[in-house]
Amino acid sequence: MDELLDDLQSKIKKGTYPPGSQLPSGRALADEYDVSQSTISRAVARLRQQGVLVGRPGRGVFVAESNRP
């Protein structure tokens, strides 16, 4: 899971997922990284705890406006 976290943080830092942008669905990320959706959920939860991502109920997961990966 560390590689997944590093890659997501790298994409955020590089601007692939700029501040305020929505992340792809958990299923799409699971397919992209060839991992289970539960692994994606754990990674997203960790990035939310770090303040890198924010969840918006009914809308999805977004890159925080003031993230510092």
Side-chain angles (χ1 to χ4, degrees):
M1 186 168 79
D2 289 337
E3 288 179 27
L4 169 61
L5 287 168
D6 290 345
D7 193 59
L8 285 172
Q9 288 179 325
S10 175
K11 286 182 176 183
I12 291 167
K13 193 172 188 177
K14 289 179 185 176
T16 302
Y17 302 127
S21 68
Q22 184 174 12
L23 252 56
S25 70
R27 182 176 199 90
L29 288 172
D31 288 345
E32 178 181 342
Y33 288 99
D34 195 28
V35 296
S36 70
Q37 287 186 41
S38 65
T39 299
I40 295 296
S41 294
R42 287 195 311 272
V44 167
R46 187 174 297 175
L47 292 174
R48 286 178 67 181
Q49 288 174 341
Q50 295 173 358
V52 175
L53 300 176
V54 293
R56 297 188 184 151
R59 295 190 59 213
V61 178
F62 295 78
V63 178
E65 292 291 340
S66 60
N67 68 77
R68 297 286 178 252

